[in-house]
Amino acid sequence: QVQLVESGGGMVQAGGSLRLSCAASGNFFSINSIHWYRQAPGKEREFVAGITDGGTKNYADSVKGRFTISRDNAKNTAYLQMNSLKPEDTAVYYCHAPVVADPRGITYDYWGQGTQVTVSS
């Protein structure tokens, strides 16, 4: 069984910073890409950032220049450094990863439980 566990959420004032972590544990062969999504109250879940196993990154336009995604493959952990936070960044942030279960390439989608980020004005 594979688990993705997020941490690092909290409450911060506008302009502040937070660093989220997503740690993968369990039995698996590899993790290709890791993504961060967020869902604000009353809104649909939206893509925030993603990083491939080779380090290629992409971001939603709303966070470009403020958020940085990274990963430590040795620790099976991804990070989301969030700077210059705005009240509109308030949401539950979720980690997502397609996890390769074995060398045959069978892949399953996993989501973390989410971590709350609240930015006050």
Side-chain angles (χ1 to χ4, degrees):
Q1 184 70 11
V2 176
Q3 282 191 315
L4 300 179
V5 179
E6 301 102 333
S7 61
M11 183 176 293
V12 66
Q13 289 189 332
S17 299
L18 285 172
R19 188 192 193 209
L20 306 183
S21 298
C22 170
S25 63
N27 294 318
F28 55 88
F29 182 70
S30 66
I31 299 176
N32 294 334
S33 56
I34 302 177
H35 316 108
W36 287 97
Y37 286 77
R38 66 186 181 187
Q39 187 166 19
K43 295 188 176 181
E44 293 187 353
R45 191 171 296 189
E46 64 175 2
F47 171 81
V48 176
I51 184 168
T52 68
D53 54 354
T56 300
K57 306 173 186 180
N58 62 319
Y59 300 93
D61 288 343
S62 58
V63 306
K64 280 180 182 176
R66 299 188 299 122
F67 290 11
T68 302
I69 190 171
S70 61
R71 65 188 286 173
D72 184 335
N73 291 330
K75 295 182 179 179
N76 292 316
T77 300
Y79 306 95
L80 186 67
Q81 178 67 44
M82 305 186 296
N83 298 329
S84 302
L85 283 161
K86 305 175 181 179
E88 51 263 45
D89 294 318
T90 295
V92 178
Y93 283 71
Y94 297 91
C95 176
H96 165 262
V99 177
V100 182
D102 59 38
R104 296 172 296 174
I106 297 174
T107 302
Y108 299 96
D109 264 3
Y110 287 93
W111 289 86
Q113 82 288 353
T115 185
Q116 177 70 47
V117 171
T118 302
V119 185
S120 61
S121 57

